[in-house]
């Protein structure tokens, strides 16, 4: 199948095989699953470490959790950029330019953390 249309035939066969596996899996599920499964007592109750649930099922999440998660992602991305930079920095021809670029990058991140610190976002209450 080296011809131009042969590549389309290969793609078509692959798509057909994928659809057949998909349809077969759903058909097997429909045939093998019970018609009306048993519902044991308490199956649809909220699980709280074996204790009966107390209160409502709605809780408001505090924004500070999202801020901490965002700051974690921010500094994880920074570390992902710092490791390749440290490897390239030693190569000839990358001297002062790479130091200035990384200083600007770290300065922008430092300004962000300083802003969060001054607004007292990082204070856990």
């Amino acid at each position: 199948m080296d011809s131009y249309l042969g590549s389309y035939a290969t793609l078509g066969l692959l798509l057909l095989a994928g659809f057949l596996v998909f349809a077969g899996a759903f058909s097997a599920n429909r045939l093998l699953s019970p018609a009306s499964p048993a519902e044991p007592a308490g199956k649809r109750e909220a699980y709280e470490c074996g204790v009966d649930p107390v209160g409502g099922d709605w809780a408001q999440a505090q924004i500070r959790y999202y801020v901490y998660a965002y700051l974690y992602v921010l500094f994880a991305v920074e570390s992902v950029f710092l490791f390749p930079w440290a490897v390239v920095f030693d190569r000839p021809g990358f001297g002062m330019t790479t130091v200035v670029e990384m200083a600007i990058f770290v300065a922008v991140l430092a300004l962000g953390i300083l802003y969060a610190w001054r607004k007292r976002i990082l204070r856990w209450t």
Side-chain angles (χ1 to χ4, degrees), residues 34 39 54 68 74 92 116:
E39 291 255 349
V54 177
Y68 278 99
L74 182 73

Side-chain angles (χ1 to χ4, degrees), residues 91-112:
R91 294 185 184 164
F94 286 100
M96 196 50 128
T97 305
T98 57
V99 172
V100 170
E101 288 175 355
M102 190 51 67
I104 291 170
F105 178 71
V106 171
V108 168
L109 291 174
L111 282 174

Side-chain angles (χ1 to χ4, degrees), residues 112-122:
I113 194 76
L114 181 66
Y115 175 79
W117 190 295
R118 298 280 290 171
K119 290 288 190 174
R120 297 183 181 204
I121 293 173
L122 300 176

Side-chain angles (χ1 to χ4, degrees), residues 26-63:
F26 273 91
S27 299
N29 180 34
R30 182 170 291 272
L31 290 173
L32 298 175
S33 65
S36 57
E39 291 255 349
K43 179 178 179 179
R44 299 194 186 269
E45 287 186 20
Y47 177 72
E48 292 185 10
C49 301
V51 181
D52 291 333
V54 177
D57 59 351
W58 186 84
Q60 184 176 3
Q62 302 259 345
I63 189 67

Side-chain angles (χ1 to χ4, degrees), residues 13-32:
L13 288 174
L14 185 64
L15 288 174
L16 180 66
F19 177 76
L20 289 176
V21 167
F22 178 79
F26 273 91
S27 299
N29 180 34
R30 182 170 291 272
L31 290 173
L32 298 175

Side-chain angles (χ1 to χ4, degrees), residues 56-100:
D57 59 351
W58 186 84
Q60 184 176 3
Q62 302 259 345
I63 189 67
R64 76 181 78 139
Y65 300 123
Y66 298 108
V67 171
Y68 278 99
Y70 178 71
L71 288 174
Y72 170 76
V73 168
L74 182 73
F75 288 107
V77 168
E78 177 185 6
S79 67
V80 166
F81 281 123
L82 281 175
F83 287 123
W85 173 80
V87 170
V88 171
F89 176 69
D90 194 26
R91 294 185 184 164
F94 286 100
M96 196 50 128
T97 305
T98 57
V99 172
V100 170

